[in-house]
Amino acid sequence: MRTGRNRCVLALTGALLSLSPAYGEDILRIAMTASDIPTTTGMPNNGFEGMRFLGYPIFEGLVLWDLSKSDKLAGLRPGLAESWEQAPGDKATWLFHLRRGVKFHDGTDFNADAVVWNLDRYFKNDSPQFEPPASGISRARVPIMGSYRKVDDHTVAITTKQPASYFPYMAVYLLFTSPASFEQGGRDWGKVAILPAAGTGPFRIAKVVPRQFVELTRNEGYWDPGHKANVGTVRLAPMPEANTRLAALRSGQVDWIEVPPPDGIPSLKAAGFTLVTNSYPHVWPWLFNMGATNSPVKDVRVRQGLNYCIDRAGLVTLLNGTAEPSVGWLKPTDPGFGNPVNRYKFDPAKGKALLAEAGYTPQKPLSFKVMISTSGSGQMLPLPMNEYLQENLKAACGVNVEFDVVEWQVLLNAARMTPDAPGVHGTMALNASSPSSDVGVMARYFAAANFSPNGFNFEQWKDDKFETALATLAEATDQATIDASFRAAHERLVDNPPWLFIVHDLNPRAMSKDVKGFVSAQSWFTDLTLVKMH
């Protein structure tokens, strides 16, 4: 009789064999950290790994990331809108001028009607095409969305709830699916997912096998010849366990793995595999649950003390150098870091003193529970990393931490709940990684208007000086004011920390020597069109 473990091994073996190409095929095979295929209706789940692989390659936004360079922070470039600007005399309204002649993969036209149809899908609860999971994701990422309207066939006006100079950095997360896909799926998003759905991107979805793989093929009619895909087919497989990904790469079952296990890196290099890392805007923290009843992390001294109690350098060593210490939302080398009062480092004496001021002593130690995931988008290696932090906090500052270990999507769902919601399981922090790429993300995570469940401010953190700086930035049009306000806002994130800042990862990937042309952009996302197989 086969055990459950044997069945899992056989299933995995079958999945790996299905990824093997016939000799000479132009196929790139990637092992993701996700535990399942991200959803395929045009607004993928599984966090930003879903957007990286089942979002941008197939479904595009009015605004796109420029992922062509590795030596500077990724900026924005025109996408399905060829240009945009604030409306004359109205800083809260943006005019997007749509690109002409763009077709969805099913041959239907992309135009203003398609834009409004998709925005109704996300933001209008009583629209026939309303998709609750996609709506939840989009509303959390674009919490300032107000109204929108068609101006003409090639112009759309979007009005935000308040002026926001950074709105284009939020618009980049709104993706567009062909309205005809919804009709073809019988107006059932579950059926649309297996059609599969049509986007406008450089790849189209060709085949979906749940929990095994999804296959993308080159869009030969892509509207931008300069960004046409070099590789003909991409196969994406969910492999949440790091050593499974490592074995798949070594055996030739895949060509590229996300987040190789640190202890496997030396042997991969010795065997001729390519290891790619780059400093990029991404942070791996604990999000403090400040809003929960009787939460110990309501006290700023506790939050500051914990930030002095952790040995970040030791964790970087554990990760074989694939991360760098985090002492703020941004890196200290970032021009926006500012000049905060607190310069966090491993200083147990200072950490214990702050905890003692807050009433936590060896006789009354600080104890709390943290929700962590087994794997997931940007989560690196959450189990060994969190075990290290657990031992570190106990040894350095006498802090007792226990873990509630859940699947990645469960943790993401918890981050959108209120602090005392049953789904938070009584935890006082969530270990959920985050991009730190721009002020739009900063506003999304930390503005008081975005308290969960309406936005990503799970912590229910509110800082008046931060709010003032953000409001000044949002109204500003000159870069000097925007930059100064950004620095002032970040200083408050350090001195009144809503998070335990732990590390910034270096986006490690391991690849076969046959993978050419890959650019490790300073972004959470990547441009698959640049990759070639040789």
Side-chain angles (χ1 to χ4, degrees):
M1 182 176 177
R2 292 175 181 162
T3 64
R5 178 178 176 84
N6 287 338
R7 284 194 295 271
C8 289
V9 170
L10 289 171
L12 174 61
T13 301
L16 291 176
L17 289 174
S18 70
L19 292 172
S20 302
Y23 179 76
E25 279 190 284
D26 182 21
I27 295 178
L28 169 66
R29 301 157 301 161
I30 300 175
M32 304 180 292
T33 67
S35 59
D36 198 0
I37 301 297
T39 46
T40 55
T41 59
M43 183 52 68
N45 63 5
N46 274 278
F48 273 179
E49 188 172 46
M51 289 288 279
R52 175 189 284 164
F53 291 123
L54 267 299
Y56 292 126
I58 309 107
F59 307 94
E60 299 177 301
L62 301 174
V63 184
L64 299 177
W65 292 106
D66 181 356
L67 304 170
S68 61
K69 300 177 179 64
S70 61
D71 58 353
K72 65 178 183 179
L73 194 66
L76 302 178
R77 66 181 176 93
L80 295 176
E82 58 187 8
S83 64
W84 55 87
E85 76 274 351
Q86 288 171 299
D90 182 3
K91 290 182 180 179
T93 297
W94 291 79
L95 299 175
F96 289 88
H97 304 284
L98 308 184
R99 198 173 296 279
R100 296 169 186 259
V102 175
K103 300 282 188 182
F104 286 104
H105 299 148
D106 57 16
T108 58
D109 292 330
F110 170 81
N111 52 30
D113 290 327
V115 171
V116 171
W117 186 93
N118 275 275
L119 295 179
D120 281 349
R121 164 193 175 192
Y122 300 138
F123 298 103
K124 188 178 180 184
N125 293 30
D126 61 353
S127 66
Q129 66 270 30
F130 184 67
E131 185 184 6
S135 173
I137 292 169
S138 298
R139 292 184 189 207
R141 290 177 180 163
V142 192
I144 61 173
M145 175 65 78
S147 60
Y148 44 88
R149 63 183 176 87
K150 171 184 174 180
V151 177
D152 57 45
D153 284 348
H154 301 288
T155 311
V156 172
I158 297 178
T159 301
T160 54
K161 294 176 182 177
Q162 66 268 348
S165 59
Y166 49 81
F167 179 66
Y169 282 96
M170 288 187 169
V172 75
Y173 299 115
L174 296 172
L175 305 185
F176 295 92
T177 300
S178 166
S181 291
F182 186 62
E183 297 298 329
Q184 188 181 350
R187 298 193 163 201
D188 179 339
W189 283 111
K191 294 178 180 176
V192 174
I194 59 175
L195 282 175
T200 59
F203 291 93
R204 64 176 72 210
I205 300 174
K207 185 176 183 180
V208 179
V209 181
R211 294 196 173 271
Q212 291 193 36
F213 71 91
V214 60
E215 186 169 284
L216 313 180
T217 56
R218 179 169 50 218
N219 177 13
E220 300 293 352
Y222 186 49
W223 58 265
D224 184 356
H227 284 88
K228 194 170 180 179
N230 284 310
V231 70
T233 302
V234 177
R235 286 185 189 159
L236 303 163
M239 292 188 195
E241 212 283 314
N243 286 320
T244 301
R245 294 193 297 275
L246 180 66
L249 181 63
R250 282 176 168 160
S251 65
Q253 300 288 351
V254 298
D255 309 295
W256 160 339
I257 63 172
E258 297 286 282
V259 196
D263 57 2
I265 288 176
S267 64
L268 285 173
K269 289 181 177 179
F273 290 96
T274 302
L275 272 295
V276 182
T277 59
N278 196 14
S279 183
Y280 79 122
H282 190 258
V283 59
W284 194 91
W286 286 358
L287 284 57
F288 289 127
N289 188 354
M290 297 164 53
T293 303
N294 299 321
S295 170
V297 294
K298 287 181 187 291
D299 193 318
V300 67
R301 295 168 297 185
V302 171
R303 304 195 304 274
Q304 290 173 340
L306 290 170
N307 268 292
Y308 283 108
C309 283
I310 58 170
D311 182 3
R312 298 169 179 88
L315 185 55
V316 168
T317 298
L318 174 73
L319 295 170
N320 211 339
T322 57
E324 51 194 337
S326 168
V327 293
W329 189 66
L330 299 172
K331 301 172 186 179
T333 55
D334 193 298
F337 189 87
N339 188 29
V341 173
N342 287 275
R343 296 286 179 157
Y344 298 122
K345 59 182 179 179
F346 185 39
D347 188 342
K350 187 166 187 175
K352 286 190 285 190
L354 284 162
L355 292 175
E357 285 180 26
Y360 296 102
T361 64
Q363 293 73 39
K364 184 191 172 185
L366 175 63
S367 302
F368 61 96
K369 182 167 61 173
V370 181
M371 183 181 290
I372 68 174
S373 64
T374 52
S375 184
S377 172
Q379 292 298 88
M380 303 182 69
L381 301 168
L383 297 180
M385 291 170 71
N386 278 298
E387 287 168 359
Y388 173 92
L389 291 168
Q390 183 182 49
E391 295 174 4
N392 168 194
L393 286 170
K394 179 68 174 177
C397 292
V399 176
N400 300 313
V401 175
E402 62 177 298
F403 295 124
D404 180 31
V405 184
V406 299
E407 195 270 335
W408 172 230
Q409 192 61 46
V410 173
L411 192 150
L412 282 181
N413 293 342
R416 298 181 186 127
M417 297 177 184
T418 53
D420 285 320
V424 178
H425 300 171
T427 55
M428 292 297 109
L430 306 180
N431 172 219
S433 59
S434 160
S436 51
S437 53
D438 56 83
V439 68
V441 176
M442 176 189 274
R444 203 170 82 213
Y445 275 92
F446 305 115
N450 298 330
F451 278 11
S452 59
N454 299 316
F456 273 121
N457 190 342
F458 164 78
E459 307 83 3
Q460 314 278 303
W461 181 79
K462 185 177 187 297
D463 181 282
D464 291 340
K465 292 180 180 179
F466 176 90
E467 293 291 319
T468 298
L470 188 64
T472 301
L473 188 160
E475 289 273 6
T477 54
D478 65 291
Q479 197 60 45
T481 301
I482 290 173
D483 291 345
S485 299
F486 190 48
R487 288 193 295 272
H490 187 265
E491 288 168 359
R492 297 308 302 155
L493 290 177
V494 177
D495 287 333
N496 183 16
W499 291 359
L500 179 65
F501 300 112
I502 303 170
V503 293
H504 302 282
D505 74 87
L506 295 180
N507 215 1
R509 297 179 173 94
M511 301 176 180
S512 156
K513 60 185 178 183
D514 293 331
V515 179
K516 308 292 184 183
F518 171 71
V519 173
S520 184
Q522 290 189 30
S523 168
W524 176 242
F525 307 108
T526 191
D527 189 346
L528 292 178
T529 69
L530 302 174
V531 179
K532 301 176 182 178
M533 292 297 294
H534 291 294

